Amino acid sequence: MVIGGGLAGITAALHLADRGTRVTLLEGRPRLGGLAFSFRRGELWVDNGQHVFLRCCTAYRAFLDRIGASGLVTLQDRLEVPVLDAGTGRLGTLRRAALPVPLHLAGSLSTYPHLSASERLSVGRAALALRGLDPKDPALDRQDFASWLHARGQSPRTVRAVWDLVAVATLNARCADISLQLAAMVFRTGLLTDPGAADIGWASVPLGRLHHEVAGAALDRAGVRVLLRTRATAVVPHRDGHRVRTSGHGPDRPAELPADAVVLAVPQEHARPLLPEGALTDPERLLELRHSPILNIHVVYDRRVLRRPFFAALGSPVQWVFDRTESSGLDGGQYLVLSQSAAQDDIDRPTAGLRARYLPELSRLLPPARSARVRDFFVTRERTATFAPRPGVGRLRPRPRTRVPGLYLAGAWTDTGWPATMEGAVRSGQQAAEEALRQIHRSPADNQGRAV
């Protein structure tokens, strides 16, 4: 039994089914995809939030291959990030060259207009020092990234124009609120290993097409029984496995379902009440995993105001802006999404206040927007988008195996070594499925066709 139909749960179910196991997947919502989903608003297909991945996200890219969706995403041939300074109007670009690490970014950094020459050199020195850190060192988890950067000569402007720019997008927090261990993992993996590791990818279609329709069809082909609108209310150990109690009963949704093993792939606050007694040494630690919100601001103009697929902003409350016109199905005009990470200050601000705050900023950043008419303005809020990657978070993230035989945990919040990303979610599903398979294969009975 896999409880949860987000990316972690879908991955676990497919991994288990591909190894010859009978799998039932429960999802309380009427759709798959977890926090990466779409909905309809008039003529638009709207993603709840802008999600991107990098070339180094090998597990997520393999997931796309597995469900048959690789042709439904766009991946840059070579990293290129336009960065616009709202105060000066200057546009700089972070791009990679066809050179080995770390020279692949040196040329771009040497002409980056948002830093002085000495600041650019200091970024290179800090990057080399970061490359020497071991992300597996637990001592790094006790230190914040900003303090480490300041100790290595990074000015406040350098932090804002380089380090925060990347950290906000990948870790959903600013450097002062990030564990050095997670920062080292992200920056080393994305920028300091393979030249193409940080090339950016995004869905060319609504996320619901990828993570619900296409993924659902893959589950069906694999023989996974999917029960939507069916919420697990308890996981009860039994002499021959587990019993999973459910709500949303119907003819095909019994109140209690048996399973040899259970993968619990739901957010940590939902996992805690489902855990049987003794499953974790200190289950209350799960509730210490705080959340970091993401706010997405959706603006539909009556004409095109942006010629690039995306850009990042400096000197403005605007962080990243993406063109979602084509994937949304909009006929005429342009549909932009402002992706605002670490959005604690704005997540509860009324829509009218957000409109008053952000539309003038878009006009400041994009001169064509000054004469354009806003056809629609709305927001989507994910208050629990990711776990907060603050120092000390590493000790709170559990491994997939629990102390109850046959019960496993999955989700981007578990100990994958990655931050709360689609990549982390997929990796967690793989890890939990592998642990479940080890248990099944240890059984003295013939396990062919056993139910999970």
Side-chain angles (χ1 to χ4, degrees):
M1 189 77 62
V2 176
I3 301 174
L7 293 181
I10 295 169
T11 300
L14 287 172
H15 200 78
L16 289 161
D18 288 346
R19 296 284 290 272
T21 307
R22 282 192 295 117
V23 184
T24 296
L25 185 150
L26 306 182
E27 170 53 54
R29 301 181 181 94
R31 55 162 180 79
L32 300 170
L35 291 180
F37 67 94
S38 306
F39 60 92
R40 193 75 174 171
R41 180 183 171 93
E43 65 175 314
L44 295 181
W45 275 109
V46 177
D47 291 343
N48 70 309
Q50 177 62 49
H51 291 68
V52 301
F53 61 94
L54 305 181
R55 191 179 294 278
C56 63
C57 295
T58 54
Y60 180 69
R61 292 172 58 212
F63 168 81
L64 293 175
D65 287 341
R66 172 63 185 81
I67 66 174
S70 294
L72 301 178
V73 299
T74 299
L75 180 59
Q76 290 180 323
D77 293 330
R78 188 174 294 179
L79 174 70
E80 183 170 330
V81 180
V83 184
L84 179 62
D85 188 315
T88 66
R90 297 189 70 180
L91 180 69
T93 303
L94 294 172
R95 62 167 61 91
R96 71 173 177 92
L99 294 170
V101 173
L103 298 178
H104 67 310
L105 295 174
S108 172
L109 189 60
S110 68
T111 59
Y112 190 53
H114 309 311
L115 298 177
S116 67
S118 62
E119 286 171 331
R120 294 172 203 150
L121 288 173
S122 76
V123 169
R125 290 193 296 268
L128 291 175
L130 195 62
R131 196 181 186 188
L133 297 180
D134 179 5
K136 295 181 180 179
D137 181 358
L140 301 185
D141 186 49
R142 297 191 289 270
Q143 184 177 356
D144 73 271
F145 188 33
S147 296
W148 186 90
L149 289 171
H150 293 322
R152 280 146 191 84
Q154 302 304 284
S155 68
R157 183 167 61 175
T158 303
V159 171
R160 287 193 301 271
V162 176
W163 303 105
D164 266 348
L165 188 78
V166 177
V168 162
T170 56
L171 288 147
N172 194 21
R174 292 175 176 81
C175 295
D177 301 316
I178 295 173
S179 153
L180 177 58
Q181 185 177 42
L182 277 175
M185 181 271 155
V186 166
F187 281 90
R188 288 178 85 259
T189 303
L191 298 176
L192 301 170
T193 52
D194 182 87
D199 299 345
I200 299 173
W202 60 89
S204 306
V205 298
L207 289 173
R209 174 84 185 280
L210 287 180
H211 301 151
H212 175 67
E213 294 177 18
V214 179
L219 289 166
D220 185 62
R221 290 193 301 271
V224 176
R225 179 190 184 197
V226 177
L227 300 180
L228 301 178
R229 297 185 175 89
T230 305
R231 191 176 301 278
T233 59
V235 178
V236 182
H238 197 264
R239 61 181 177 274
D240 59 352
H242 297 272
R243 296 292 182 268
V244 178
R245 295 173 185 162
T246 70
S247 62
H249 307 147
D252 61 344
R253 295 174 175 84
E256 192 171 272
L257 294 163
D260 296 315
V262 174
V263 175
L264 195 53
V266 295
Q268 65 268 25
E269 65 271 19
H270 297 155
R272 171 63 190 93
L274 293 175
L275 289 174
E277 186 175 355
L280 295 179
T281 303
D282 185 2
E284 300 310 313
R285 278 191 174 184
L286 296 187
L287 304 183
E288 295 180 40
L289 274 167
R290 299 175 186 172
H291 293 290
S292 186
I294 296 178
L295 173 73
N296 278 264
I297 297 170
H298 307 257
V299 186
V300 181
Y301 288 102
D302 66 346
R303 66 196 72 177
R304 180 168 290 277
V305 300
L306 174 65
R307 296 293 175 182
R308 303 172 183 272
F310 65 87
F311 73 93
L314 298 176
S316 168
V318 172
Q319 294 175 7
W320 291 73
V321 180
F322 293 84
D323 178 11
R324 299 301 294 170
T325 307
E326 185 174 353
S327 66
S328 71
L330 179 67
D331 184 14
Q334 188 171 33
Y335 170 28
L336 302 183
V337 174
L338 284 65
S339 183
Q340 301 292 116
S341 300
Q344 289 86 349
D345 293 341
D346 276 342
I347 194 66
D348 293 318
R349 193 186 297 261
T351 300
L354 293 169
R355 183 182 180 113
R357 176 173 169 81
Y358 283 97
L359 283 184
E361 285 297 317
L362 278 176
S363 293
R364 186 158 71 115
L365 292 163
L366 302 171
R370 298 167 192 171
S371 58
R373 181 173 64 88
V374 176
R375 291 168 46 186
D376 198 6
F377 181 100
F378 59 100
V379 300
T380 51
R381 310 171 197 259
E382 291 296 344
R383 291 177 173 82
T384 60
T386 69
F387 68 82
R390 59 196 177 109
V393 72
R395 68 180 182 85
L396 304 176
R397 302 175 69 185
R399 297 292 297 165
R401 184 188 296 185
T402 73
R403 298 173 68 193
V404 173
L407 178 63
Y408 308 94
L409 301 177
W413 52 273
T414 61
D415 185 9
T416 63
W418 282 71
T421 58
M422 295 190 296
E423 175 74 5
V426 170
R427 285 175 179 256
S428 77
Q430 293 173 338
Q431 291 173 358
E434 281 298 317
E435 290 288 350
L437 288 166
R438 289 190 189 99
Q439 175 220 325
I440 293 170
H441 294 158
R442 282 196 301 268
S443 171
D446 176 11
N447 292 297
Q448 184 65 32
R450 292 291 297 276
V452 174

